Amino acid sequence: MAVTGGIGPVEPGEDTYLRNVTGRAGPGGRTAPSRARHRRTVRAAGAALLLLAASGSLRADRAREPAEAPPPYPSQAVTFAYLDAAPGPGGARGGGFSFAVRLSVGSGPPVTVTRIAQPSAGLSVASSPAAPFQTKPHSDSKIIVTLRVTECDKAPRNPGFPFLDVTLRNTRAIQTHSFILGSRYARQLSQALQVACGNDSR
């Protein structure tokens, strides 16, 4: 291996200035206490830089973390299932038709049922429990709904796909959703309306 150049001046060792008995500054005008303070300052600055770097890395990691998913819309967390006709005040002959539905709530925050309605102008709606009422996540509730005929000429005699309009609220949104309860509900409702309104013509 070729060696180039010469040998430069030998750097003084660390103890060179510590042995300066006169107390005068060594090369560069720095005394032993001054060098010690310098080393402490350098170490403190290095520690501060490490802390800043670690803090910046932590913020970057937090920025890369995915945001927490929002809760589901209330209509996505709730289902209505028709159970059967139920005894109600007055029965069909008294102009009322009562039936039971099962309200199931899935995951997410509690859901409040603020209103239960139906589209026909000839029918009124009441429920037990009465709206508004709150439901818990992962729960099933039985609700008794009573439809009462107010005007036979506006009541649907043969409803094909009758549904309930239910207004739901949770921490994310307020929605009105139409729940179709199936053919058995349509058939029983039609029979109740025919009994309630008799042979009245439109």
Side-chain angles (χ1 to χ4, degrees):
M1 178 182 296
V3 178
T4 60
I7 299 175
V10 178
E11 291 290 334
E14 184 179 354
D15 293 339
T16 301
Y17 309 123
L18 294 176
R19 293 175 183 172
N20 187 344
V21 296
T22 63
R24 292 177 297 176
R30 184 173 291 161
T31 63
S34 176
R35 284 179 59 82
R37 284 195 299 272
H38 176 70
R39 287 196 297 271
R40 288 195 298 270
T41 302
V42 169
R43 284 197 296 269
L49 287 174
L50 287 174
L51 286 174
L52 285 174
S55 176
S57 176
L58 181 60
R59 285 196 297 269
D61 289 342
R62 287 178 177 173
R64 286 193 294 267
E65 291 178 0
E68 184 179 352
Y73 285 100
S75 63
Q76 296 172 335
V78 168
T79 59
F80 269 76
Y82 183 73
L83 296 178
D84 207 346
R93 292 189 180 278
F97 169 57
S98 295
F99 57 93
V101 293
R102 182 176 62 248
L103 168 62
S104 300
V105 184
S107 60
V111 176
T112 298
V113 178
T114 63
R115 182 172 176 265
I116 299 177
Q118 54 76 49
S120 174
L123 301 176
S124 65
V125 181
S127 69
S128 177
F133 58 89
Q134 190 178 74
T135 62
K136 298 179 180 179
H138 305 288
S139 68
D140 290 335
S141 303
K142 184 177 180 180
I143 302 171
I144 303 298
V145 179
T146 299
L147 303 182
R148 186 171 297 280
V149 177
T150 56
E151 296 182 61
C152 280
D153 59 345
K154 294 182 180 179
R157 296 297 180 87
N158 295 294
F161 294 99
F163 54 86
L164 290 180
D165 290 327
V166 183
T167 303
L168 306 166
R169 183 183 75 234
N170 67 2
T171 55
R172 182 170 185 179
I174 299 175
Q175 292 181 300
T176 297
H177 189 76
S178 297
F179 291 93
I180 297 176
L181 302 182
S183 58
R184 189 156 58 98
Y185 167 64
R187 184 173 61 255
Q188 291 179 347
L189 174 61
S190 178
Q191 292 171 352
L193 292 176
Q194 290 175 14
V195 171
C197 294
N199 295 321
D200 290 347
S201 58
R202 304 215 172 169

